[in-house]
Amino acid sequence: MPVKAHTPISINITTSTILKVVGILLVCYLALLIKEILVVMFVALVLANAFDPLVDYLGRHKWPRALSISLIYVIVLGLVVLMFYFLVPIVIKEATDFATSLPYYVSKISAFLDRMRQTMGQYGLASSFQTNLDNLATTISGWTMQLITAVYGAVNGLFSVFLILVLSFYLVVEENAIKKIVWSITPARSQAYAINLVSRMQLQIGNWFRGQLLLCLAIFLLTLLGLSILGVKYPLLLALLAGVTEVVPYLGPFLGAVPAVLIALVQSPNLAIVVIVVYVIIQQLENNILVPQIMKRVADINPIVCIIVLMIGYRLAGAVGAAIAIPITTALSVALRDLLNYKEKKELAAT
């Protein structure tokens, strides 16, 4: 039986393809070198997209764009000053009292954990419980160091904040700055689609930022109300923590609830149970009422994808990278949906 000769497989790689690959690698390398600058530019873009609808509304009433964004900055700055004037002294007092009482809380929680260890020991689970406890202590210690580093970085980042505000101002005043750049670097046959895509990305980012801000405020107020009614100590500090951690998708509510439950546990075990119930109710209100109403214009991203992009963002640019990972993914999801729709239409046309 004759043996069939194997048909040789040839792979042709043109000079153009090699140059494109090298160009992409160089762009990626350059982006890593200037990642801090790119982060500042993207945060400025997020703020500009958040302010843009307000500026457009004032523009329809004959307000110049420069005057409109200046008025918005003055209002936001005034709100921040009022918040510092009324809230910061209370938060500082609560934080100081908490720091003073920390040894007491640690001793109480340690006594509670000792009782648990003894109970677990009766069932032969003491070793496993101690191992998990040591791992938790190591994790919390790491989080504490990261928090201190983040606070230090925030103090040193005041110049970056100033740059972000200035860039946001000029991006809003120059209404189509990003679109003009995209138009100039896009081939003529794709310019219309590219401008449309950028417009939808900007809209998506603005919707995400405004929605996230409203969610954080809502969770802060609900938590403050619940903890104040229950008589839990440091309600304002714990509510602020719950509002800030709301930025972290899916894990945020848990991170915000743990300190409140531990403080309530020291006051009374029954109070700790009630606090858990309150946080569960707030979480259900968020998932079933607040998120559908506030974030209805924002693309729903898979939880696994959220966690992955958060880790990637944190690895590349620290806490700031993690904070902007979700809006970047939200914007990219617009282009991904276009790509999937294009492939689906192409397959339907072929059949």
Side-chain angles (χ1 to χ4, degrees), residues 91-220:
V91 173
I92 292 176
K93 182 179 182 303
E94 289 189 357
T96 304
D97 292 344
F98 176 74
T100 305
S101 307
L102 189 59
Y104 170 75
Y105 287 114
V106 171
S107 64
K108 286 290 186 179
I109 294 174
S110 298
F112 174 76
L113 294 176
D114 285 337
R115 290 196 297 271
M116 285 190 64
R117 188 183 296 110
Q118 293 173 3
T119 304
M120 300 285 280
Q122 297 176 0
Y123 299 95
L125 300 174
S127 177
S128 175
F129 177 77
Q130 184 62 43
T131 301
N132 293 329
L133 193 61
D134 293 340
N135 292 336
L136 178 61
T138 303
T139 304
I140 293 175
S141 176
W143 287 350
T144 304
M145 292 303 298
Q146 291 175 9
L147 180 62
I148 294 173
T149 304
V151 171
Y152 179 77
V155 173
N156 288 336
L158 291 177
F159 181 67
S160 296
V161 173
F162 174 75
L163 284 179
I164 288 170
L165 293 176
V166 172
L167 281 173
S168 298
F169 181 89
Y170 283 107
L171 284 172
V172 174
V173 172
E174 185 61 39
E175 184 176 3
N176 296 314
I178 300 297
K179 294 176 184 176
K180 289 178 181 177
I181 295 173
V182 173
W183 181 273
S184 64
I185 63 175
T186 306
R189 58 188 176 85
S190 303
Q191 285 176 336
Y193 169 72
I195 296 301
N196 179 267
L197 177 62
V198 169
S199 298
R200 287 183 288 130
M201 282 183 169
Q202 289 180 301
L203 181 63
Q204 195 80 340
I205 292 173
N207 288 338
W208 174 86
F209 181 80
R210 290 187 295 273
Q212 194 63 59
L213 202 60
L214 287 174
L215 273 181
C216 292
L217 180 61
I219 295 301
F220 164 72

Side-chain angles (χ1 to χ4, degrees), residues 221-232 234-236 239:
L221 293 175
L222 289 172
T223 306
L224 178 62
L225 179 63
L227 296 180
S228 299
I229 292 174
L230 293 176
V232 179
Y234 321 116
L236 184 59

Side-chain angles (χ1 to χ4, degrees), residues 269-280:
N270 292 332
L271 181 60
I273 295 174
V274 177
V275 168
I276 293 174
V277 173
V278 167
Y279 272 88
V280 170

